[in-house]
Amino acid sequence: MYTSLWAFEEDQMGQTLIGAITDYFREGNSDSEDSELRFATCQSLWKHVKLETEQIEEDLNTQLFDNLVSFLRRSHSEFQEKTAEWNCRMKSREIPTAALVLGVNVTDHDLTFRSLSEVLQNRVTPYVALLQAKDCPGIKNLMQKLLGQLMNCYVDVDSSEEDDYVQTSQNRIRCSMTSLITWYESVTKKTDFETPSKKRTSSRHWQSPPVVVIFKDMESFTTKVLQDFIVISSQHIRELPLVLIFGIATSPMIIHSLLPHSVSSLLCIELFQSLSCKEHLSTIIDKVLLTTQFPLKLSEKVLQVLINIFLYHDFSVQNFIKGFQLCIVEHFYTQPLSVLCCHQGELKKRINSLSHNQCENIRRLPSFRRYVENQPSEKQIALLTTDSFLKETVQRLLEDLNVYHENYFPVLRCLHVFTSSLPKYPLGKQIRELHCACLENRVWETEEYESFLQLARMLNKCDLVTMLQKCVEILMSSPGKEFDKTVEKLKEFLTQFQKLEAEACQERDESVSSQKELQKKTDLYHLQKTLLELKESRRSKKLTKFEMLRFEVVDYIDSVVRNYLVPADHKTLHEIVYFNTASVLREHLNAAPRVALHTALNNPYSYLKSQALRSDGGSISNKAPDICIVYKLHLECGRLINLVDWLEAFSTVVTAVEGPNADAPSSDQVDDVIHARFIRAVSELELLGFIKPSKQKTDHVARLTWGGC
Amino acid sequence: MPNLEHSAYPAATLLRLESLVPCRESQVSMLLSIFGERQQFSFPSIFIYGHTSSGKTYVMQTLLNTLQLPHVFVNCVEHFTSRLLLEEILIQLQNRSSETKQAAHVPCDTFNDFVRLFKQAVVSQDLQDQTIYVVLDRAEQLREMEANILPAFLRLQELTDRNVTVVLLSEIVWELFRPNTGCFEPFTLYFPDYSIGHLQKILCQNHPPEYSADFYAAYINILLGVFYMVCRDLKELQHLAALNFSKYCEPVVRGEANERDTRKLWKNIEPHLKKAMQTVYLREISSSQWERLQRDEGEAGQLKGLSAHAHVELPYYSKFLLIAAYLASYNPVRTDKRFFLKHHGKIKKTNFMKKHEKTSNHLLGPKPFPLDRLLAILYSIVDNRVAPTANIFSQITSLVTLQLLSMVGNNDQLDGPRYKCTVSLDFIRAIARTVNFDIIKYLYDFL
């Protein structure tokens, strides 16, 4: 239901807003070529990415949700079946509780809970309430929220009962457990007497479906509210089959620290753990970024910014996806040639319809210039003058680029198979690290790659064979056409290894016999001699067949890597499909408010772009806004600032250049207007949190930022 | 010979009552003599207190139900506002006899209204010549309602001028109730804890029908031997008894031992109960999981308790923020120079240790620190440069919401907020280990 609502909203918005947004796409951009087409491509690409990521999330969560659903099923059925048994009579009835550990990425939880409640409503019970700590400062608010959500949800499930609902809402519902119980009784009774046609819909649920209450953020709830709620509901557990779900961000220990034993003994807590966000991110990167599915690619720096924000700051997969969205929008907005960043099918048409301006844009691309320089001179002229020839070449080049990608990713995965199983992970444990290393520069020129090769030459046979088998699998399943030969070669290696095995048996026999010989000779002189011989032979010993083969394999892998894992920015026209302005991304996603504020006040030109402010080399211009002058002056002060001195300095700065023009006022008396301006600027600084009034000294204010001595 | 004697009630009823309330005969007979006969006015308010599960609620309920005295039973936790509480009392009173449950609902906002409506209800229910008992369970909640509620309930008899007695049940003593302004003193009655003998007797009453009472009594004996040290809560003990009984019966069911083979049975159940004490009793694993384990003959070791999942994964800078917060909380401010300045010179601990700092900071608990100090320490412990981005500040806030830090006195935003680090040493050591930071070296206490 939620998604359909979204779609509806989007549709409507699309109708009214698309025009406006495309305008934005055109505005403020010198290259407005094909802006509409670019906008459309951008939208459709994002839609695909969004669908894909949502699908991935759903798949990742299925396991967890299945476990939860079966827990909910189990939770009350036991008591419903055999209430008469002695065991059940004697046991105190605890409230079934699922402790759902979701990790510290709180921003992602919303989505998880939304899909969880959807799953529950589809498969277990229509009665699901989601509670948030900020809505429930007291037990009263909690009950209100709970009742509101539950009684509303009933209307959602069955709209024919609407009249009834209106009635109850008119005489204000007493928000107590008793009214909840009477509501539950009436609701379940109603479904019992439903007509068969209606029963079909309710058959998904059982006769008395449990009421699920989800506490989204367990950590933020106050102890008292939780305790009271648990105590109250445990008294009515027989009439109201309640199930609690605690959303926990840190560790399940929090339950014990929030609830005393007398309360936690009323609960029957089972633990559920969601997939860690790091694994989630790996899957997203693997399925969205490391495929040829989406034409847009991220350069190494951009990817590094996104991953760093994830690992260093928030662990939020949603933010990562949002960052990717920003990349998409930014790329299509700033790069006029991004119109060519589309699927292969449409490419030809789009290239043919390129305008002359766009052709010029292509010629201006650095990678294309490099390409032209390496061409014979007559071709150079043709490329630079004839649009049609250029278009042909561009199409060929873009197709090449696509083939490069088709080969790049499978080979990358193969290399990852090797690197991820070596000790100390020379090229990174995760495939994303390897990917970044390959994008950055020629991976085979790095030291890490050297150590990787050395380690790979020491692999034992068993590992090597399984790795080769994995590589064969990866290459077979890839769409690239050039891998037939590679696969064949790898398979050949595998058969050779098998042959070796047979031979190895024989060899072992031989070595055993030589050992026996050694044992025969008990004479000291002879023994010494043979040992020396053995040593000699070992030193100059030819490599065994296995070792030879291993060298061969590693060399072959090396050649494949050199062939296919060329960094993308060595490829012609990579600017079209790679988004690489990392600085923009960093500015937007990892904002530094203090730095921005300082820049604005210290160097107003950077924001105001007024020429008058430009020629400013450390001195204080009187053209700057008052607050900037006051700020700069206060930077020179210590922890306490004398207001009078400050005012005098301010008035000197302001009147310094005005002086010659205006009639010089009497020097010792500060102009009222200037005084007022000063006061205003100072109070603005106070509002921004740079200073505060101080009680230590009269007529002084205290600095709140660093730099004071 | 019945212990309970009262002229107003038939002996058979009293006998049944006695069998229902084992080990509480003296309290019941005391209550009976206070209550007197049906039509007699009783003491206006009675205050009963005693520990958790000393049978206060149960005894009151059985007493009133068995003798069929007109009464209203309300839990004050459940009815958390005075309005809800008063309305609930009226509703229960109105619904006593009339079959139609949905009596017209009358709003009752003040105690004045309550007194008026109460009088009406008594008349309409035809209860003028009987004592009505209003029982308020978990009465300690009354103290948190309006100031007039508790004193008014104590003298409800006088205010309504009807034959009514208010019974307050609570786990805390009357002295903690008494308002400053004084009030009517209720009659207080103490329910002492059940002794081990009492517990044994009560628990044995409900033996499963398949087994003899003696067999079950032996089981309860073993159970109490293990659990009596840690738990005297009757409900909890009953729950544990039910959970583990099937395990106790196992040898008998398999035919390896007969019901009298107590030694063998004890050997079988004792380690099992000990394990239960460490897991299911602490709610480390849930009782349903425990039962499943028993059924599948699995080892409890396979199932990790809640405490086993203590590890929290945090973003890289959050870890350092937390470490910095910990250092700021447990190190004296003066020592920051020593730890975080490169050329601090050689300062020995003894030289700059003041007398009051000889006690371990870890014993005193975390101290609050300002935001600036936290950031300063952060910048010096992280190897690469950290930009003061919005993300860093929001990470501090999320650490607060995760209850790893706590904010102290957030009255003045401009003054710079102050925080405390609330995590334990073990926790922070585990965190520091993941980022290869030797936190012990930086802690003043371990110098």
Side-chain angles (χ1 to χ4, degrees):
Chain A
M1 194 205 78
Y2 203 88
T3 46
S4 71
L5 198 80
W6 254 106
F8 172 69
E9 237 175 48
E10 234 161 49
D11 269 8
Q12 259 206 343
M13 266 173 45
Q15 301 290 321
T16 53
L17 285 184
I18 272 185
I21 297 171
T22 38
D23 285 349
Y24 277 121
F25 237 65
R26 203 177 303 132
E27 253 169 47
N29 204 343
S30 50
D31 295 309
S32 59
E33 294 289 333
D34 297 319
S35 61
E36 269 155 53
L37 190 56
R38 258 153 57 199
F39 178 69
T41 326
C42 171
Q43 289 290 83
S44 79
L45 177 62
W46 166 239
K47 211 178 264 176
H48 278 133
V49 171
K50 198 171 164 230
L51 278 180
E52 177 76 20
T53 50
E54 277 168 4
Q55 188 57 45
I56 291 168
E57 262 150 52
E58 214 177 295
D59 294 346
L60 288 178
N61 279 331
T62 32
Q63 174 71 36
L64 174 72
F65 288 171
D66 284 348
N67 286 348
L68 265 173
V69 166
S70 70
F71 165 74
L72 289 177
R73 296 231 157 109
R74 218 164 42 219
S75 58
H76 280 283
S77 59
E78 198 181 315
F79 286 99
Q80 275 156 8
E81 280 161 20
K82 39 183 185 182
T83 34
E85 260 179 51
W86 172 83
N87 202 8
C88 283
R89 253 188 308 126
M90 295 309 293
K91 255 191 309 187
S92 47
R93 268 194 81 168
E94 296 165 319
I95 309 172
T97 307
L100 188 56
V101 181
L102 290 166
V104 293
N105 46 336
V106 184
T107 32
D108 294 352
H109 294 180
D110 239 14
L111 215 67
T112 316
F113 280 121
R114 217 152 56 199
S115 44
L116 172 65
S117 71
E118 235 167 77
V119 166
L120 292 184
Q121 274 170 348
N122 287 333
R123 287 162 63 183
V124 185
T125 167
Y127 314 120
V128 180
L130 276 161
L131 297 177
Q132 239 175 333
K134 67 166 189 242
D135 298 332
C136 312
I139 179 78
K140 192 172 162 190
N141 312 75
L142 187 144
M143 292 302 284
Q144 260 168 357
K145 270 264 169 274
L146 182 64
L147 282 157
Q149 287 194 24
L150 286 175
M151 298 188 175
N152 266 330
C153 92
Y154 181 67
V155 180
D156 271 354
V157 167
D158 196 347
S159 51
S160 69
E161 238 67 51
E162 216 153 20
D163 306 351
D164 217 308
Y165 170 69
V166 172
Q167 217 177 21
T168 45
S169 75
Q170 271 170 355
N171 29 345
R172 276 164 46 213
I173 321 156
R174 299 178 65 230
C175 61
S176 69
M177 213 57 181
T178 25
S179 43
L180 192 61
I181 289 162
T182 43
W183 163 81
Y184 183 76
E185 272 169 8
S186 69
V187 160
T188 41
K189 219 178 263 167
K190 248 178 224 160
T191 45
D192 281 349
F193 296 124
E194 263 174 349
T195 50
S197 66
K198 268 187 182 172
K199 210 152 206 169
R200 197 180 46 81
T201 52
S202 62
S203 64
R204 303 172 298 181
H205 316 305
W206 321 288
Q207 284 200 323
S208 50
V211 176
V212 181
V213 182
I214 302 176
F215 294 87
K216 274 186 178 176
D217 40 355
M218 175 81 169
E219 279 91 355
S220 315
F221 276 91
T222 49
T223 359
K224 184 154 186 343
V225 172
L226 274 180
Q227 284 181 31
D228 281 355
F229 180 72
I230 291 168
V231 167
I232 294 171
S233 38
S234 80
Q235 297 200 324
H236 296 282
I237 190 72
R238 273 160 220 276
E239 297 118 74
L240 186 75
L242 202 70
V243 181
L244 307 181
I245 295 180
F246 292 155
I248 296 171
T250 51
S251 81
M253 298 273 275
I254 195 83
I255 298 177
H256 289 315
S257 60
L258 275 178
L259 304 174
H261 183 253
S262 64
V263 177
S264 67
S265 68
L266 301 170
L267 301 175
C268 172
I269 308 163
E270 275 189 42
L271 192 67
F272 296 88
Q273 223 154 1
S274 76
L275 202 66
S276 93
C277 49
K278 281 185 184 167
E279 281 168 59
H280 192 163
L281 180 79
S282 304
T283 329
I284 293 273
I285 289 182
D286 199 44
K287 297 233 170 105
V288 176
L289 295 182
L290 300 183
T291 58
T292 47
Q293 199 184 350
F294 303 109
L296 181 79
K297 305 281 184 300
L298 300 182
S299 76
E300 184 259 342
K301 278 195 182 118
V302 171
L303 190 58
Q304 206 69 60
V305 168
L306 288 180
I307 290 175
N308 280 353
I309 290 177
F310 177 86
L311 289 178
Y312 285 0
H313 293 296
D314 56 8
F315 268 178
S316 163
V317 179
Q318 290 311 313
N319 282 356
F320 184 86
I321 295 168
K322 282 269 145 59
F324 185 47
Q325 186 185 9
L326 183 65
C327 293
I328 295 173
V329 173
E330 193 65 32
H331 182 68
F332 282 95
Y333 176 65
T334 51
Q335 176 60 270
L337 288 170
S338 61
V339 69
L340 297 181
C341 181
C342 61
H343 286 285
Q344 287 299 298
E346 286 174 72
L347 193 58
K348 197 171 178 192
K349 211 176 80 194
R350 291 198 180 184
I351 290 176
N352 284 334
S353 59
L354 283 182
S355 66
H356 177 68
N357 267 344
Q358 287 281 51
C359 291
E360 286 300 313
N361 279 334
I362 292 176
R363 285 177 189 130
R364 253 177 256 137
L365 291 179
S367 71
F368 189 74
R369 289 229 289 267
R370 241 179 297 151
Y371 169 78
V372 171
E373 275 159 25
N374 290 332
Q375 299 297 316
S377 56
E378 61 268 30
K379 230 179 171 188
Q380 281 189 2
I381 296 166
L383 279 172
L384 294 177
T385 50
T386 328
D387 280 358
S388 58
F389 183 64
L390 176 83
K391 282 178 186 173
E392 266 171 47
T393 320
V394 164
Q395 186 176 353
R396 200 166 39 75
L397 285 171
L398 282 175
E399 273 161 16
D400 279 354
L401 197 59
N402 193 43
V403 170
Y404 157 75
H405 282 134
E406 273 177 8
N407 297 330
Y408 175 88
F409 293 117
V411 173
L412 184 75
R413 277 169 218 274
C414 288
L415 184 58
H416 181 240
V417 167
F418 280 92
T419 55
S420 63
S421 53
L422 289 174
K424 282 194 188 164
Y425 313 105
L427 282 163
K429 196 176 180 181
Q430 304 279 348
I431 194 166
R432 56 168 188 255
E433 294 165 71
L434 188 63
H435 180 55
C436 284
C438 291
L439 282 179
E440 198 178 2
N441 41 38
R442 292 192 182 94
V443 71
W444 54 87
E445 287 171 359
T446 58
E447 274 175 41
E448 291 86 3
Y449 189 76
E450 271 309 307
S451 67
F452 152 69
L453 284 183
Q454 271 172 12
L455 286 169
R457 285 190 189 115
M458 286 185 270
L459 281 170
N460 64 22
K461 194 168 77 188
C462 186
D463 286 350
L464 199 57
V465 169
T466 46
M467 282 179 204
L468 284 178
Q469 276 165 346
K470 266 190 212 162
C471 288
V472 170
E473 267 171 45
I474 291 169
L475 294 179
M476 298 271 268
S477 61
S478 75
K481 289 138 202 148
E482 289 180 24
F483 290 128
D484 294 345
K485 251 165 66 190
T486 320
V487 169
E488 231 167 72
K489 185 83 182 164
L490 289 179
K491 278 185 176 165
E492 200 186 301
F493 281 131
L494 281 172
T495 46
Q496 274 177 319
F497 274 118
Q498 272 168 0
K499 262 189 222 158
L500 268 184
E501 215 157 292
E503 283 169 30
C505 296
Q506 291 176 359
E507 255 177 52
R508 205 175 300 139
D509 291 344
E510 273 173 37
S511 67
V512 167
S513 68
S514 76
Q515 287 269 318
K516 268 179 191 161
E517 235 169 78
L518 201 70
Q519 280 165 358
K520 259 186 245 164
K521 283 167 188 154
T522 44
D523 181 3
L524 194 66
Y525 171 70
H526 281 283
L527 183 68
Q528 200 175 15
K529 204 175 156 193
T530 33
L531 280 177
L532 274 173
E533 264 169 31
L534 270 176
K535 201 178 170 190
E536 193 80 350
S537 70
R538 200 167 291 158
R539 198 180 294 155
S540 65
K541 195 172 66 177
K542 273 194 217 155
L543 300 167
T544 62
K545 276 184 182 165
F546 165 66
E547 282 166 333
M548 301 269 278
L549 193 57
R550 188 164 61 183
F551 272 117
E552 229 173 288
V553 170
V554 173
D555 285 344
Y556 183 70
I557 298 284
D558 184 37
S559 73
V560 171
V561 166
R562 280 165 196 266
N563 198 10
Y564 291 112
L565 294 188
V566 186
D569 46 6
H570 291 226
K571 288 279 167 190
T572 315
L573 294 185
H574 69 91
E575 291 94 337
I576 292 179
V577 291
Y578 276 85
F579 175 70
N580 52 14
T581 35
S583 56
V584 174
L585 203 64
R586 203 176 296 128
E587 226 168 72
H588 280 106
L589 296 182
N590 206 1
R594 279 195 181 187
V595 176
L597 208 55
H598 178 78
T599 329
L601 293 173
N602 200 34
N603 182 19
Y605 174 74
S606 64
Y607 286 94
L608 295 176
K609 307 282 182 205
S610 153
Q611 285 305 319
L613 300 170
R614 189 153 199 192
S615 57
D616 201 10
S619 65
I620 307 171
S621 150
N622 69 328
K623 300 272 181 3
D626 292 344
I627 187 170
C628 298
I629 300 171
V630 169
Y631 177 78
K632 274 198 169 179
L633 289 170
H634 113 286
L635 283 181
E636 292 160 12
C637 298
R639 231 190 70 75
L640 287 174
I641 307 169
N642 187 333
L643 274 173
V644 180
D645 293 351
W646 202 4
L647 169 63
E648 250 163 41
F650 177 75
S651 88
T652 332
V653 170
V654 172
T655 50
V657 194
E658 276 175 8
N661 306 346
D663 306 323
S666 55
S667 55
D668 57 333
Q669 197 58 32
V670 179
D671 186 10
D672 276 352
V673 177
I674 289 176
H675 197 172
R677 277 165 61 185
F678 172 74
I679 294 293
R680 191 173 68 179
V682 167
S683 49
E684 276 169 353
L685 269 194
E686 191 183 339
L687 188 72
L688 288 173
F690 285 100
I691 52 165
K692 68 165 185 175
S694 159
K695 280 172 194 156
Q696 290 176 17
K697 263 183 177 176
T698 44
D699 293 339
H700 279 66
V701 289
R703 255 186 93 170
L704 291 169
T705 46
W706 288 332
C709 340
Chain B
M1 185 199 101
N3 284 325
L4 303 177
E5 278 179 41
H6 202 279
S7 53
Y9 307 102
T13 325
L14 286 177
L15 212 58
R16 200 174 74 227
L17 180 65
E18 196 188 329
S19 72
L20 282 174
V21 286
C23 317
R24 281 283 174 258
E25 290 87 355
S26 66
Q27 282 83 10
V28 169
S29 75
M30 168 73 97
L31 281 173
L32 278 180
S33 45
I34 297 170
F35 287 177
E37 288 172 32
R38 267 169 194 279
Q39 74 284 2
Q40 287 170 345
F41 270 68
S42 165
F43 203 77
S45 48
I46 302 170
F47 181 83
I48 299 177
Y49 68 103
H51 267 257
T52 326
S53 79
S54 49
K56 303 175 295 288
T57 313
Y58 174 75
V59 165
M60 267 326 280
Q61 241 161 354
T62 13
L63 178 66
L64 294 170
N65 282 331
T66 340
L67 300 181
Q68 290 176 326
L69 300 169
H71 68 273
V72 172
F73 213 101
V74 191
N75 188 325
C76 296
V77 178
E78 194 183 331
H79 302 97
F80 37 82
T81 63
S82 61
R83 184 191 152 98
L84 279 176
L85 182 69
L86 299 178
E87 282 177 1
E88 179 65 22
I89 295 172
L90 289 174
I91 289 171
Q92 282 197 25
L93 201 63
Q94 280 161 356
N95 291 347
R96 265 196 79 255
S97 57
S98 52
E99 291 303 309
T100 50
K101 266 214 150 183
Q102 290 302 59
H105 169 244
V106 197
C108 171
D109 281 321
T110 62
F111 212 88
N112 203 17
D113 287 339
F114 174 71
V115 169
R116 182 172 53 83
L117 293 166
F118 188 84
K119 280 189 202 166
Q120 282 174 14
V122 169
V123 174
S124 69
Q125 295 291 320
D126 206 20
L127 290 167
Q128 288 98 318
D129 49 356
Q130 292 186 52
T131 316
I132 301 167
Y133 297 93
V134 177
V135 187
L136 302 174
D137 201 358
R138 307 279 304 251
E140 57 269 18
Q141 292 291 321
L142 288 178
R143 298 180 303 168
E144 268 144 53
M145 296 177 188
E146 289 87 332
N148 68 330
I149 297 289
L150 179 64
F153 267 122
L154 290 172
R155 44 204 300 172
L156 190 64
Q157 197 175 76
E158 183 187 328
L159 291 171
T160 54
D161 198 20
R162 291 289 178 276
N163 190 356
V164 58
T165 292
V166 175
V167 184
L168 303 171
L169 305 181
S170 174
E171 285 175 17
I172 55 178
V173 292
W174 167 246
E175 279 65 33
L176 295 171
F177 276 76
R178 196 179 285 135
N180 295 334
T181 46
C183 65
F184 182 84
E185 289 287 313
F187 177 84
T188 53
L189 182 62
Y190 176 58
F191 275 42
D193 284 351
Y194 291 116
S195 69
I196 188 164
H198 289 160
L199 287 174
Q200 168 97 25
K201 192 175 163 192
I202 298 166
L203 285 170
C204 291
Q205 265 199 337
N206 286 307
H207 65 89
E210 304 94 358
Y211 295 95
S212 70
D214 285 347
F215 179 66
Y216 192 68
Y219 168 62
I220 291 297
N221 210 359
I222 295 169
L223 185 88
L224 282 177
V226 174
F227 279 104
Y228 186 70
M229 290 300 286
V230 290
C231 173
R232 299 179 182 193
D233 188 328
L234 185 61
K235 260 188 227 151
E236 188 69 21
L237 284 170
Q238 204 162 31
H239 181 68
L240 287 166
L243 275 185
N244 295 306
F245 187 59
S246 61
K247 180 81 180 175
Y248 183 70
C249 300
E250 241 171 40
V252 179
V253 174
R254 280 204 301 254
E256 286 167 9
N258 66 13
E259 290 196 10
R260 302 234 186 82
D261 224 343
T262 30
R263 199 182 144 66
K264 204 167 194 178
L265 291 172
W266 178 77
K267 267 204 159 165
N268 174 44
I269 193 70
E270 221 245 341
H272 185 73
L273 288 180
K274 288 232 163 104
K275 205 182 281 164
M277 185 156 78
Q278 282 156 16
T279 53
V280 68
Y281 169 67
L282 293 175
R283 262 56 185 183
E284 282 289 306
I285 62 175
S286 74
S287 39
S288 59
Q289 280 173 324
W290 180 251
E291 280 186 317
R292 249 175 289 145
L293 272 181
Q294 277 181 17
R295 226 177 296 141
D296 309 338
E297 294 281 327
E299 266 298 299
Q302 294 163 2
L303 204 72
K304 281 186 183 167
L306 294 183
S307 307
H309 301 264
H311 178 65
V312 178
E313 221 173 312
L314 288 171
Y316 188 71
Y317 283 145
S318 294
K319 284 178 184 168
F320 274 109
L321 276 171
L322 202 59
I323 292 171
Y326 193 84
L327 294 175
S329 260
Y330 286 98
N331 281 345
V333 185
R334 290 181 314 108
T335 61
D336 282 357
K337 238 184 189 168
R338 147 100 181 60
F339 287 120
F340 306 113
L341 236 58
K342 264 184 191 145
H343 308 289
H344 55 76
K346 279 210 169 170
I347 312 167
K348 277 183 187 153
K349 187 177 180 178
T350 43
N351 288 354
F352 65 7
M353 192 155 64
K354 280 182 190 161
K355 203 176 179 189
H356 68 272
E357 277 169 4
K358 273 179 186 154
T359 39
S360 161
N361 287 305
H362 279 83
L363 288 179
L364 295 171
K367 291 186 186 64
F369 54 85
L371 176 67
D372 284 347
R373 191 171 163 225
L374 172 71
L375 290 175
I377 294 179
L378 174 77
Y379 294 145
S380 69
I381 59 173
V382 180
D383 289 336
N384 43 358
R385 228 183 109 258
V386 193
T389 59
N391 275 329
I392 293 282
F393 293 108
S394 73
Q395 268 169 287
I396 298 174
T397 321
S398 27
L399 286 175
V400 173
T401 53
L402 295 177
Q403 299 211 341
L404 299 173
L405 299 183
S406 74
M407 199 128 143
V408 189
N410 51 351
N411 41 12
D412 186 7
Q413 290 282 322
L414 278 189
D415 234 354
R418 294 164 75 77
Y419 302 93
K420 254 186 199 180
C421 185
T422 56
V423 300
S424 66
L425 181 64
D426 286 338
F427 186 92
I428 204 75
R429 283 180 79 172
I431 292 275
R433 212 175 299 129
T434 59
V435 288
N436 290 325
F437 182 83
D438 189 5
I439 191 164
I440 295 297
K441 255 174 124 183
Y442 285 87
L443 279 169
Y444 181 67
D445 281 350
F446 300 102
L447 218 59

